[in-house]
């Protein structure tokens, strides 16, 4: 961590330091309940410092910054705004959205969370990640995953601690999960348009301070996360954090002043005319051409490895990390991450697209990174829908060499938090997002989904059977594919979002009492078969034989012939002669074995 920044204890004093190079003055605000005591801070270069006698562990604090307020020039200094320390590790409450957050001169001390001074933090012994390529990543929403679980004590349902419960670990082990990928556990704020609609953000992709754990999801703070990771590690399960470093919840020019905007507004990328660049669709974009932004990100990652034992990270809208303003595969952030001893061996996963110019960068991240592969999702769905050829799906099953070459870095997935669930992929031809309050305009319009004859729920036995067969065919394809695979929690037993493909503002916890047990057992069987031969899924075998469903060698023309319904692949004898069969007509996939 950058020396001196944040709140630190040393020599009988508590030292506070925050970067604010353009501020004219800064106040440290110490709280005792609602009572606030302000102490002027001293400039030391681009940093402001205040030292307070005594050990203030557990005390709450914030900052107020003085200077020019001129949003057109990218300056937002307003001493009426209580500001969260960008290096806060814990907060005393959750963020709440309110119009006063964005109004100059309106005091926000009653609205903004206070950072909590952490005492000395235990360090985790550095070990290799509990994850290997080819394994199963299990993506989950911390709150929704256990909020209704009957075996988890009510007091901890919906929290990070619940993930360490034996019932949860037993479920993960049944699926042979290699690592859980936790959707954001960093404290976030609702988007401005949600509270007037009576809605809230339930996913968390709108953070404010990048190290501060959400006190609703992780009320025990850093210790709770560390202990949960340790419990999962005991059972051989790694933990990957899904982090958002592409933007913050301070949003566009009409957003609130909560943290970086009020302290170091140059953290945000701007156009030559001073406008905030919006390569994220969220109103602002963090500027990774700024060394201070890169340092904040690196220090955040080091903290989670050093103090919590985190195995890896997934980066939302990851091209932003390499923008300056255009995407550069040789951007400084990659070398800086690789140079950090605590990060060099971590699992790094990119969501390789954003909405800025040249934002689609699948296959262009470093060779030691994994990448979410949306071409896999789309081509596999289109194949089973009857719209793609066997050539397309065979390329995806074989590791997407057209994208990654022979170095298989693909994270293959059928569904993720964003988009249709697996069950909804075979039950809805169109999105049904009316509950989101945007007249069904939000979310992707093209999902390569189908409804098997009836839109939405059906009691027709034929429709039910067709959907069950299609879901199993999709899952069989996933577990037969070369590369790392990802399953979103609940897809193993038929979780539905009622056709909503952008359910970030809907509270839809998993209903464990309404699970498709037969489908869950089927997925567990697929996972066991894959795990038994896991090394074979890191690289597709060379010199294998491609055959038609009739057993004859595949002719070149058959690969792109829409009438071709499947194929057989036989591994070379050196690989044990495993056999993979994909048959669209029979809605069936058989794994190697």
């Amino acid at each position: 961590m950058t020396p001196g920044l944040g709140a630190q204890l040393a020599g009988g004093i508590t030292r506070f330091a925050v970067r604010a190079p353009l501020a004219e003055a800064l106040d440290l605000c110490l709280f005792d309940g609602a009572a606030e005591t302000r102490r002027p801070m001293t400039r030391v270069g681009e940093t402001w410092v205040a030292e307070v006698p005594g050990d203030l562990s557990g005390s709450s604090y914030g900052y107020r910054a003085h200077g020019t307020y001129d949003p057109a020039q990218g300056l937002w200094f307003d001493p009426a705004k209580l500001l969260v320390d960008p290096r806060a590790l814990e907060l005393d409450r959750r963020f709440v959205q309110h119009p006063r957050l964005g109004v100059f001169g309106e005091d926000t001390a009653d609205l903004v969370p206070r950072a909590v001074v952490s005492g000395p933090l235990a360090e985790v012994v550095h070990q290799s990640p509990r994850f290997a390529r080819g394994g199963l990543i299990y993506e989950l929403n911390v709150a929704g995953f256990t909020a209704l679980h009957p075996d988890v004590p009510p007091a901890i349902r919906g929290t990070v601690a619940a993930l360490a419960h034996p019932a949860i670990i037993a479920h993960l082990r049944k699926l042979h999960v290699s690592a859980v990928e936790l959707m954001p556990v960093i404290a976030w704020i609702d988007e401005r348009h949600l509270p007037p609609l009576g809605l809230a953000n339930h996913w968390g992709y709108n953070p404010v301070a990048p190290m501060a754990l959400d006190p609703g999801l992780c009320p025990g703070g850093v210790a709770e996360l560390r202990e949960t990771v340790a419990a999962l590690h005991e059972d051989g399960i790694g933990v990957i954090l899904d982090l958002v470093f592409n933007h913050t919840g301070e949003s566009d020019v009409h957003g609130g002043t909560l943290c970086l905007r009020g302290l170091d507004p140059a953290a945000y990328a701007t156009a030559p005319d001073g406008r905030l660049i919006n390569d994220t669709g969220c109103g602002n974009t963090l500027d990774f051409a700024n060394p201070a932004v890169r340092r904040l990100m690196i220090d955040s990652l080091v903290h989670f490895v050093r103090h919590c034992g985190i195995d890896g990270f997934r980066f939302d809208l990851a091209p932003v990390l390499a923008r300056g303003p255009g995407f550069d595969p040789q951007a400084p952030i990659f070398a800086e991450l690789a140079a950090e001893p605590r990060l060099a061996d971590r699992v790094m996963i990119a969501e390789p697209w954003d909405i800025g110019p040249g934002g689609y960068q699948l296959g262009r991240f470093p060779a030691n990174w994994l990448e979410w592969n949306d071409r896999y999702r789309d081509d596999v769905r289109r194949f089973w829908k009857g719209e793609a050829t066997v050539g397309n799906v065979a390329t995806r099953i074989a590791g997407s060499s057209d994208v990654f070459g022979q170095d298989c870095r693909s994270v293959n997935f059928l569904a993720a938090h964003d988009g249709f669930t697996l069950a909804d992929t075979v039950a809805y031809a169109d999105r049904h997002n009316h509950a989101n309050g945007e007249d069904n305009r939000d979310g992707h319009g093209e999902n390569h989904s189908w409804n098997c004859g009836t839109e939405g729920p059906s009691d027709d036995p034929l429709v039910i059977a067709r959907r069950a067969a299609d879901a199993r065919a999709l899952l069989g394809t996933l577990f037969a594919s070369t590369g790392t695979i990802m399953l979103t929690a609940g897809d193993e037993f038929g979780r539905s979002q009622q056709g909503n493909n952008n359910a970030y503002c809907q509270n839809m916890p998993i209903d464990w009492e309404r699970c498709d047990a037969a489908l869950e057992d089927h997925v567990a069987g697929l996972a066991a078969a894959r795990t038994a031969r896991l090394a074979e899924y890191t690289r597709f075998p060379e010199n294998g034989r491609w055959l038609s469903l009739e057993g004859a060698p595949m002719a070149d023309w058959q690969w792109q012939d829409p009438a071709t319904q499947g194929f057989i692949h036989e591994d070379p004898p050196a690989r044990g002669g495993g056999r993979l069969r994909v048959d669209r007509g029979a809605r069936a996939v058989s794994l190697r074995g």
Side-chain angles (χ1 to χ4, degrees):
M1 185 167 298
T2 302
L5 291 178
Q8 299 182 354
L9 309 175
I13 64 169
T14 303
R15 183 179 187 272
F16 299 86
V18 63
R19 175 182 163 83
L22 301 179
E24 296 173 6
L26 231 74
D27 294 326
L28 167 66
C29 307
L30 297 173
F31 290 89
D32 182 3
E36 176 184 349
T37 301
R38 302 185 190 182
R39 291 173 174 261
M41 303 181 76
T42 302
R43 178 188 284 276
V44 181
E46 296 184 333
T47 300
W48 295 81
V49 176
E51 294 183 345
V52 182
D55 181 342
L56 297 186
S57 297
S59 300
S60 56
Y61 72 99
Y63 299 115
R64 295 181 185 271
H66 304 255
T68 302
Y69 182 83
D70 186 355
Q73 298 301 315
L75 299 172
W76 304 82
F77 296 108
D78 179 1
K81 297 292 178 285
L82 184 68
L83 303 172
V84 176
D85 189 341
R87 291 166 183 274
L89 305 182
E90 298 174 357
L91 304 176
D92 71 343
R93 69 195 74 179
R94 304 183 99 168
F95 285 97
V96 293
Q97 185 60 263
H98 194 282
R100 278 196 283 130
L101 296 172
V103 178
F104 178 75
E106 292 280 351
D107 197 282
T108 58
D110 60 324
L111 296 172
V112 175
R114 296 88 184 262
V116 177
V117 178
S118 299
L121 296 174
E123 293 198 14
V124 177
V125 175
H126 192 86
Q127 297 179 331
S128 297
R130 269 51 162 212
F131 176 78
R133 290 191 183 189
L136 170 61
I137 294 174
Y138 189 75
E139 182 196 40
L140 64 87
N141 178 299
V142 170
F145 188 58
T146 64
L148 300 179
H149 199 293
D151 296 330
V152 174
I156 63 169
R157 288 178 187 169
T159 69
V160 168
L163 303 179
H165 189 274
I168 299 302
I169 291 179
H171 182 72
L172 300 175
R173 292 193 61 170
K174 177 179 179 179
L175 299 179
H176 295 268
V177 169
S178 299
V180 292
E181 182 176 297
L182 308 186
M183 289 170 61
V185 295
I186 301 302
W188 70 88
I189 189 168
D190 291 334
E191 290 79 0
R192 290 195 311 279
H193 73 281
L194 292 179
L197 296 171
L199 300 173
N201 185 324
H202 293 279
W203 285 359
Y205 292 90
N206 207 36
V208 177
M211 304 185 203
L213 294 167
D214 186 88
L217 293 183
C218 202
V222 175
E224 180 175 333
L225 179 58
R226 179 177 61 250
E227 291 164 6
T228 297
V229 171
L232 290 164
H233 280 177
E234 287 181 7
D235 280 279
I237 300 168
V239 179
I240 296 169
L241 294 185
D242 189 345
L243 297 177
V244 180
F245 284 103
N246 57 79
H247 80 285
T248 79
E250 291 181 302
S251 188
D252 57 19
V253 294
H254 304 294
T257 298
L258 301 163
C259 184
L260 287 172
R261 171 172 286 168
L263 291 165
D264 189 8
Y268 295 110
T270 57
D273 63 0
R275 290 180 297 108
L276 287 169
I277 291 175
N278 186 17
D279 289 335
T280 64
C282 301
N284 64 56
T285 303
L286 286 170
D287 185 4
F288 273 79
N290 182 338
V293 172
R294 300 198 301 272
R295 193 68 248 170
L296 178 60
M297 172 187 167
I298 291 169
D299 287 350
S300 300
L301 304 186
V302 168
H303 160 66
F304 286 118
V305 174
R306 180 182 179 187
H307 297 125
C308 302
I310 294 298
D311 298 277
F313 305 93
R314 180 262 187 189
F315 299 104
D316 187 64
L317 303 184
V320 168
L321 310 182
R323 284 189 175 277
F327 178 85
D328 180 2
Q330 304 301 320
I333 188 63
F334 299 126
E336 291 169 1
L337 288 169
E340 283 289 336
R342 292 183 185 271
L343 301 180
D345 65 346
R346 296 299 95 177
V347 180
M348 300 289 185
I349 304 174
E351 181 186 41
W353 50 81
D354 63 28
I355 69 165
Y360 190 76
Q361 295 294 336
L362 180 66
R364 299 196 70 201
F365 282 77
N368 63 329
W369 283 50
L370 301 176
E371 301 183 35
W372 274 26
N373 187 352
D374 63 331
R375 291 189 194 176
Y376 178 94
R377 175 199 62 201
D378 293 350
D379 282 349
V380 171
R381 287 186 182 186
R382 290 177 61 241
F383 173 75
W384 290 107
K385 188 180 180 182
E387 295 179 350
T389 65
V390 294
N392 294 115
V393 77
T395 298
R396 300 297 157 239
I397 289 174
S400 295
S401 61
D402 59 330
V403 177
F404 301 106
Q406 295 304 308
D407 182 19
C408 185
R409 301 188 292 107
S410 179
V411 176
N412 305 317
F413 63 100
L414 303 169
H417 66 271
D418 191 10
F420 277 147
T421 67
L422 176 61
D424 288 352
T425 297
V426 299
Y428 293 89
D430 301 300
R431 65 189 175 196
H432 294 267
N433 298 356
H434 300 87
N436 296 357
E438 298 185 42
D439 297 323
N440 204 36
R441 295 188 304 268
D442 61 307
H444 290 293
E446 178 53 77
N447 298 278
H448 306 296
S449 61
W450 61 99
N451 62 23
C452 297
T454 299
E455 187 76 354
S458 174
D459 56 7
D460 184 331
L462 293 178
V463 172
I464 294 171
R466 179 59 184 265
R467 289 176 178 173
D470 287 355
R472 283 164 170 77
L474 286 160
L475 287 162
T477 307
L478 178 67
F479 280 87
S481 295
T482 296
T484 296
I485 61 174
M486 185 181 79
L487 190 69
T488 296
D491 280 351
E492 70 271 27
F493 43 60
R495 179 181 68 97
S496 173
Q497 293 176 169
Q498 292 78 56
N500 192 321
N501 74 349
N502 190 32
Y504 76 103
C505 57
Q506 303 299 322
N507 187 15
M508 292 183 171
I510 291 175
D511 187 348
W512 293 86
E513 303 286 352
R514 301 182 63 183
C515 296
D516 183 338
L519 181 59
E520 180 183 332
D521 289 343
H522 177 75
V523 173
L526 294 174
R530 180 183 175 96
T531 301
R533 304 171 66 109
L534 188 59
E536 299 179 8
Y537 291 95
T538 60
R539 181 179 291 270
F540 198 74
E542 299 178 5
N543 304 319
R545 293 205 308 157
W546 295 96
L547 307 174
S548 69
L549 293 176
E550 294 73 32
M554 284 284 282
D556 289 345
W557 61 268
Q558 289 178 290
W559 289 111
Q560 299 305 322
D561 183 357
T564 304
Q565 293 298 299
F567 59 85
I568 296 168
H569 181 269
E570 292 183 345
D571 289 351
R575 284 270 300 250
R579 183 180 174 95
L580 168 67
R581 180 184 177 93
V582 176
D583 187 341
R584 180 162 54 192
R587 320 304 283 180
V589 176
S590 60
L591 301 184
R592 297 183 180 90

